[in-house]
Amino acid sequence: MLSQGRAEDLTGVSILVAGAGLAGLAAARDLARAGATVIVVEARPRVGGRVWTVREGFADNQYAEAGGEMIDEAHEAVKSLAEAYRLPLVRVLKSGFAFARPDSQGRVNIVKPAANRGWARMSRELQELIRLYRLAERRWDSPISAAIGRRSVAEWLNERGADDELRETAAGLRGFFLADPEELSLLALVDQYSSDSATGANRMYRIKGGNDRLPEAMAAELGDRVQLGTELMAISQRGRRVRVALRNKRLPSQIDVDYVVSALPAPLLRRVPITPALPTRQHEAIEQLEYGKGTKTLLQFPKRFWVSRLQPRAFGSAQPHGAVWDANEEQRGPSGILSLLAGGSASDQTAHIMAKQGIVGLARTLDWLGYRGEPITASTQVRWESDIWSRGGYAVFDASFDPALRPWLAQPNGRIFFAGEHTSLTWQGYMNGAVESGQRAAAELAATHRLSKE
Ligand SMILES: Cc1cc2nc3c(=O)[nH]c(=O)nc-3n(C[C@H](O)[C@H](O)[C@H](O)COP(=O)(O)OP(=O)(O)OC[C@H]3O[C@@H](n4cnc5c(N)ncnc54)[C@H](O)[C@@H]3O)c2cc1C
């Protein structure tokens, strides 16, 4: 029995949740627990969406994350869900991130974090903008935010006459934002640095046994309410009902429900016709939101050649291979897996290296980490911009996106509610944002239902 007698009783209410990523599953879990009759439709043959643990092919029963990976100390929603399903977290990458950066001869060296360099320096350079943004109470519909957000990070660097070091730091952040400084809105950078969780400075965790254990546990609780291989095709609101068109293995069907929760990424949501049409501003918000390019490469080697007592195991970088870290230090066996996350144009650069020199050529770019031609036991590469069910890594606010549109991404419309990482204000781009957004959409739906009865 799922129903636990929560304050809001949704018994007899039918709800379709589209998307079985963390956002959709979190919404469905709360709604089913409140007694609603829930159907979750998921286009892929698996749940989890952008949380995807890869196990196939790796020696020593090892595995690594092709999508969402690090759970930060402050990610309370994910942490408490994991606890609810008794999934232990393992602390990883305890020394945090260092930086791999070329010297004046172009030789890449490992540079440890320091107050006068890297992310700490970026934070200081942004202080005046952060002060203004905090005066706006971090609201994106303030003229303060509009003025900051009209510029790209690259334009801001040019205006300041930034030196190479600051530019290199900004370029390295493409492994975090999945966007180059030329594309990324300055507001997105200011927003990140104005939060309490400064880049690379947190305690980080992964779920023991793989992050996919969380969406799988949630789906197991939902049982046959989850329909895999089923695509949401259209939504139409008619009076007090919502008609949804679905497709399963080319077979079309229609069902009528009381409410719909969309937990689809914006590039997929904009392909779903909604009638009557959403308000113009909401339509624009969904239409104009960009998703970042990101290629994650998982490389397994017979030994962890990168481990030494002195150096950290995680590195930001503006190199074509992107950010690099130890993907499975907590797992047994002599082998080890490195994770390479190439964001923004680094994703194209990685693809270029792969096309010309293959996976060994990509591994060779890690000579600064001590790579000397060790054999590659196994590898997997996921190019998220080519993934047909997400069409990018995660949402990117670029300089052409009107910041005032952002609240519209989460705005309910009649009997339709919106969730997904991209709708989260505090944790956009994170698993925590996905979970919180699903829980928020479920609570909004319950509140709307209560109001409709008064
Ligand atoms: C490379 C990479 C690295 C990341 N690293 C981290 C990290 O270290 N830490 C962190 O916290 N987060 C990280 N993230 C982000 C995190 O993975 C996402 O924010 C989160 O998983 C998104 O969840 P979601 O439910 O919003 O979307 P999704 O997981 O994308 O779920 C949406 C679901 O909708 C389905 N769908 C799409 N269209 C339809 C349709 N028409 N009908 C039915 N179903 C449909 C999709 O198949 C998908 O399963 C990373 C992401 C990527 C790609």
Side-chain angles (χ1 to χ4, degrees):
M1 274 292 284
L2 283 168
S3 180
Q4 310 232 319
R6 291 283 166 97
E8 203 56 61
D9 184 12
L10 295 175
T11 306
V13 177
S14 58
I15 302 164
L16 181 120
V17 177
L22 285 177
L25 291 169
R29 175 180 191 263
D30 284 2
L31 294 166
R33 285 184 168 220
T37 304
V38 178
I39 301 172
V40 183
V41 292
E42 166 54 53
R44 297 181 203 260
R46 61 170 179 87
V47 298
R50 281 171 277 170
V51 174
W52 186 17
T53 310
V54 177
R55 297 184 172 78
E56 296 74 41
F58 291 124
D60 297 337
N61 288 321
Q62 294 188 342
Y63 52 85
E65 304 298 335
E69 179 162 352
M70 254 60 99
I71 298 166
D72 289 0
E73 189 69 44
H75 291 179
E76 292 300 337
V78 172
K79 281 167 54 183
S80 61
L81 258 189
E83 198 183 330
Y85 290 104
R86 298 178 198 277
L87 299 172
L89 301 182
V90 198
R91 184 157 174 218
V92 294
L93 306 176
K94 287 188 185 156
S95 315
F97 274 77
F99 212 85
R101 123 174 333 155
D103 60 20
S104 51
Q105 272 87 52
R107 274 178 48 115
V108 179
N109 292 312
I110 293 171
V111 183
K112 295 262 173 67
N116 58 347
R117 281 195 302 241
W119 296 307
R121 180 174 166 213
M122 178 65 82
S123 174
R124 275 204 314 282
E125 303 270 347
L126 288 167
Q127 275 315 304
E128 177 54 15
L129 291 171
I130 290 172
R131 189 184 71 80
L132 292 171
Y133 184 52
R134 286 192 174 138
L135 285 177
E137 296 187 73
R138 307 181 77 223
R139 284 193 311 265
W140 279 44
D141 57 0
S142 159
I144 296 175
S145 300
I148 299 173
R150 197 171 291 149
R151 272 172 298 171
S152 68
V153 172
E155 283 167 324
W156 171 73
L157 291 168
N158 289 342
E159 278 166 28
R160 290 181 79 81
D163 59 21
D164 290 348
E165 204 262 350
L166 198 60
R167 285 175 194 276
E168 175 90 7
T169 302
L173 284 170
R174 65 189 177 177
F176 179 76
F177 289 102
L178 305 187
D180 290 65
E182 290 71 23
E183 190 191 4
L184 187 69
S185 156
L186 179 57
L187 185 59
L189 187 68
V190 170
D191 181 68
Q192 174 61 31
Y193 275 93
S194 73
S195 72
D196 296 332
S197 59
T199 313
N202 268 306
R203 286 179 175 221
M204 293 174 279
Y205 303 84
R206 288 188 283 258
I207 293 176
K208 191 172 179 200
N211 286 351
D212 65 350
R213 293 183 69 193
L214 181 58
E216 276 173 8
M218 295 164 86
E221 179 179 338
L222 289 161
D224 59 11
R225 295 177 182 86
V226 181
Q227 299 181 5
L228 298 177
T230 308
E231 193 181 341
L232 172 69
M233 304 297 291
I235 307 174
S236 147
Q237 300 200 61
R238 306 162 169 222
R240 298 171 71 84
R241 302 287 279 171
V242 192
R243 177 159 290 183
V244 285
L246 304 172
R247 189 169 66 179
N248 181 306
K249 297 195 188 84
R250 299 209 179 154
L251 262 186
S253 63
Q254 281 190 343
I255 54 169
D256 286 352
V257 288
D258 295 316
Y259 298 98
V260 168
V261 177
S262 163
L264 310 185
L268 279 304
L269 177 59
R270 55 186 173 240
R271 291 156 49 96
V272 176
I274 300 177
T275 47
L278 296 174
T280 313
R281 295 287 282 162
Q282 187 160 24
H283 179 78
E284 277 172 22
I286 296 166
E287 199 63 31
Q288 288 172 19
L289 188 63
E290 291 288 334
Y291 273 54
K293 293 180 183 177
T295 296
K296 194 110 175 256
T297 308
L298 305 172
L299 293 173
Q300 190 185 39
F301 298 95
K303 280 196 182 132
R304 296 171 195 270
F305 61 82
W306 55 90
V307 173
S308 86
R309 270 194 323 122
L310 297 175
Q311 73 192 28
R313 296 184 182 203
F315 308 88
S317 104
Q319 296 298 300
H321 51 61
V324 181
W325 61 85
D326 189 317
N328 71 340
E329 63 186 283
E330 71 279 21
Q331 294 169 30
R332 289 173 186 208
S335 308
I337 302 177
L338 277 182
S339 178
L340 279 51
L341 176 54
S345 59
S347 183
D348 298 332
Q349 291 167 348
T350 288
H352 186 72
I353 295 171
M354 288 294 293
K356 294 240 158 177
Q357 304 162 44
I359 198 80
V360 175
L362 187 62
R364 258 193 249 118
T365 63
L366 300 174
D367 54 347
W368 57 270
L369 193 54
Y371 182 69
R372 300 287 176 268
E374 287 81 354
I376 298 168
T377 318
S379 68
T380 291
Q381 191 168 65
V382 179
R383 201 171 184 199
W384 284 95
E385 59 272 35
S386 305
D387 178 282
I388 57 165
W389 298 118
S390 67
R391 295 171 189 247
Y394 35 87
V396 165
F397 293 99
D398 66 12
S400 70
F401 186 88
D402 174 0
L405 288 176
R406 187 170 181 185
W408 283 103
L409 293 168
Q411 182 68 36
N413 178 269
R415 292 173 168 265
I416 312 176
F417 298 82
F418 297 94
E421 147 282 304
H422 63 289
T423 66
S424 167
L425 292 181
T426 313
W427 296 113
Q428 182 270 316
Y430 291 102
M431 294 180 278
N432 203 62
V435 169
E436 277 191 0
S437 75
Q439 294 172 342
R440 185 253 314 139
E444 284 175 339
L445 189 158
T448 303
H449 186 66
R450 166 176 287 235
L451 290 169
S452 76
K453 290 190 295 190
E454 281 172 2

